[in-house]
Amino acid sequence: AQDAGDYTCDSGDQQTTASLQVKVLPVLFNKELRNVEAEEGGTAVLHCEISRPDTPVEWRKGGVVIQPSDKYELKLKGSVAELIIHGVEPEDC
């Protein structure tokens, strides 16, 4: 919304001013998450596609925000957000 504000057209003799308001559109999911199966000790990849490229997303497990670590890798490539879980264990379900 950095383009919002007052704009003026100035002819030198006269001025006219108008205000621009920008409605921020919500980020929508073009492709939602799908269930994934992985073998114990393997890698699982969850991904979804969002409507506004490069918009940061937050990943959660059981309501707790997932932070990047050796186990959890978070990627955002254009409009695709990925969560890669390394060394999958039964308690990760």
Side-chain angles (χ1 to χ4, degrees):
Q2 68 189 55
D3 291 327
D6 293 335
Y7 289 83
T8 302
C9 182
D10 190 334
S11 70
D13 293 326
Q14 292 186 336
Q15 290 182 350
T16 182
T17 301
S19 180
L20 171 64
Q21 295 178 347
V22 179
K23 293 171 82 175
V24 178
L25 298 174
V27 176
L28 304 173
F29 290 105
N30 292 337
K31 289 186 182 174
E32 296 187 359
L33 288 174
R34 293 196 173 165
N35 294 338
V36 173
E37 289 185 13
E39 292 185 11
E40 186 174 2
T43 300
V45 180
L46 299 169
H47 67 271
C48 60
E49 188 176 318
I50 52 180
S51 62
R52 190 177 310 147
D54 301 318
T55 300
V57 298
E58 204 172 65
W59 289 91
R60 296 188 191 127
K61 180 182 184 285
V64 178
V65 175
I66 295 173
Q67 299 296 329
S69 64
D70 289 340
K71 182 169 191 73
Y72 298 111
E73 186 178 350
L74 286 63
K75 290 186 176 182
L76 182 59
K77 296 182 264 183
S79 61
V80 176
E82 286 186 338
L83 171 63
I84 303 163
I85 307 169
H86 300 282
V88 175
E89 301 171 10
E91 51 268 18
D92 293 327
C93 298

